Amino acid sequence: MGDLSTLLKIHKVSDSADQICEQLLEQLKSALFVVNNRGEILSCYGEIDRFFGIQASELVQKRLVDVLDPVSTDVSFENCLDIFCCDFPLQCKNKANEFSVSRTFSFWMSSLNCESDTEELYLVTLQDLSKQREIEDQLAKTIKLSALGQLAGGVAHDINNLLSGISGSAQAMKRTLKDDESSQRKLNIITQCVQRASGLLRQIVDYVREDNGEPKQINVGELLYESIALLERTIRKEIVIECSLGEQLSAIYGDASQLLSVLMNLGINARDAINSEGKIVFNAENIDVTDLDILHSITGKIEPGSYVCITVEDSGCGVSPDEQKKIFNPLYTTKARGKGTGLGLSMVRDILIAHKGFITLQSAPGKTKFSLYLPKHDNDLRDETIETQSVVDYDVLKGLKILLVDDEELVREATQDFLENFGINVTSVDDGDVALTTFKNAKENFDVIVLDANMPRQNGMKTFFLLRDVNPTVPVIFCSGIADAAAENMQISAQSVQFVKKPYEPDELLGKLASFSSK
């Protein structure tokens, strides 16, 4: 700003200098004032109209302290002629002589030291930092969300280990007390609670995880019910959630976790739009879209074809026509300051575009409806035959010798107790190194290895390769409390490898063990 300060030493500058200053200040997104030692504005340049909503000439002869107001009580302009530089929120007085919404400005003041003038002059520069601060805030929130996703994955792993211990012990007791109906009912409640807790953990991890999941065929009804199950835990009791599914609803194809976050975002926005009592309605139906059906969408060009239309409708305050034009813009939010990020709906739009879909909005006071259009998947779920679960032959398990590797003592004890009820011989160890030593000393004594994918020091994947170096064909079942892409991919790429997710269903683990014992 030194060259600019020199340029404006004398406030009565020429017209050509005015034009140069205006161009410079427009590039800097700044406003510049020349004030005297009484704080009166003698001339001003730059973004005056954007900051104040009035022409520069209308500010001349006004006192700087009358048109700028610090939001914080810690900042005062009473001695505004001191030389200083700082960033803080300010309100600019508009044409109606009212202070506008505060923005963060860089406020810079210095003496012009104009020897030719009879009074001392000062140069004041305002630069709007609001957008920069918003972007910095969003970056900080994104970093926090990423950390939350990692934390959620770690916590889910630990909790699923505990649930595995509970489930394994309950299953062992069910087999021991198989003739006691009262105990069976209570143990069934325990196993159902374990399954429900594990499902909730999976939903939370899918919602906050940073990485994208693998695209797959998605059952829309299941996706909606999963979203509603999560949303019900975040809304007030006065708000009713309803769901309606069309007949023979087609499947869609995409990333289920991303689409879950889309529905959650719209559901939470609907919740925030309802002041007291109200209703949120989810609906899904098949629809054929032609160019004449929908003339305009937020996301641009519409490809005619068969779609699944998912709508999220609420009875809230509605979105004004002006807000509807900007609502999908990044960093734009209709919520109060500090309540919304302005990123949710822009990400919703981007996710829909990535799935070759589009989104529309209809709103009026008392009713807002977002309509999501996602292409129907060609390999329709309705055409799939339901795969019946094979019955486990428990007899082939008797005498099976397995090496159980898990760092959680409760999981090892519960799993060992459960498996031994079926006549399986179990040797359990708590570490990959110990597992390798044990296997080397008696590799012929083990038919299958049940291996935790997430362990400290020697993790499951490293342990797997070391064990396979000793015996390249030994069957391995990976277990994990969270989605483990490496372990799941190994199930496809390597021979005699299976994957089960904790807490596992009894017949799931037993069925995989039985498949190896029968080979």
Side-chain angles (χ1 to χ4, degrees), residues 60-87:
V60 175
Q61 300 304 318
K62 290 187 178 181
R63 296 176 68 239
L64 190 65
V65 294
D66 294 332
V67 296
L68 293 175
D69 179 47
V71 175
S72 172
T73 56
D74 297 332
V75 180
S76 174
F77 281 155
E78 290 181 1
N79 191 12
C80 70
L81 300 183
D82 291 340
I83 300 173
F84 70 101
C85 178
C86 59
D87 298 344

Side-chain angles (χ1 to χ4, degrees), residues 438-462:
T438 303
F439 189 66
K440 281 182 177 179
N441 292 336
K443 60 182 179 181
E444 67 280 354
N445 290 340
F446 297 107
D447 302 310
V448 184
I449 297 172
V450 179
L451 181 60
D452 184 16
N454 298 279
M455 295 186 295
R457 298 184 296 277
Q458 197 80 277
N459 66 30
M461 195 55 63
K462 290 181 180 178

Side-chain angles (χ1 to χ4, degrees), residues 207-223:
Y207 180 58
V208 301
R209 70 180 181 178
E210 182 179 10
D211 58 315
N212 295 333
E214 289 293 326
K216 62 181 181 180
Q217 185 170 269
I218 299 171
N219 183 307
V220 176
E222 291 179 0
L223 179 68

Side-chain angles (χ1 to χ4, degrees), residues 86 146 168 230 292 297 336 347 377 390 412 433 444 451:
C86 59
S146 175
L230 276 176
L292 297 178
S297 78
M347 288 192 294
H377 185 39
S390 58
R412 290 197 312 274
D433 291 330
E444 67 280 354
L451 181 60

Side-chain angles (χ1 to χ4, degrees), residues 33-49:
F33 304 87
V34 176
V35 299
N36 59 22
N37 54 10
R38 295 182 299 279
E40 297 171 342
I41 299 172
L42 303 180
S43 58
C44 47
Y45 310 88
E47 299 281 80
I48 302 299
D49 182 65

Side-chain angles (χ1 to χ4, degrees), residues 92-153:
C92 300
K93 186 165 286 188
N94 58 25
K95 192 170 185 177
N97 208 32
E98 298 173 345
F99 284 114
S100 59
V101 177
S102 66
R103 294 192 292 268
T104 300
F105 288 92
S106 171
F107 183 96
W108 183 82
M109 176 182 284
S110 64
S111 173
L112 285 177
N113 298 319
C114 298
E115 298 176 359
S116 60
D117 280 346
T118 57
E119 57 183 353
E120 189 171 8
L121 302 180
Y122 295 86
L123 182 70
V124 177
T125 304
L126 287 181
Q127 187 171 14
D128 191 352
L129 302 179
S130 300
K131 286 295 182 184
Q132 178 182 331
R133 291 291 183 266
E134 287 180 6
I135 294 171
E136 290 171 353
D137 290 344
Q138 300 315 318
L139 177 60
K141 290 175 182 177
T142 301
I143 293 171
K144 286 181 180 179
L145 184 60
S146 175
L148 178 61
Q150 296 177 13
L151 176 64

Side-chain angles (χ1 to χ4, degrees), residues 348-365:
V348 165
R349 178 202 58 193
D350 292 344
I351 289 172
L352 265 292
I353 294 174
H355 283 76
K356 298 184 181 352
F358 59 95
I359 182 170
T360 62
L361 167 62
Q362 296 171 295
S363 186

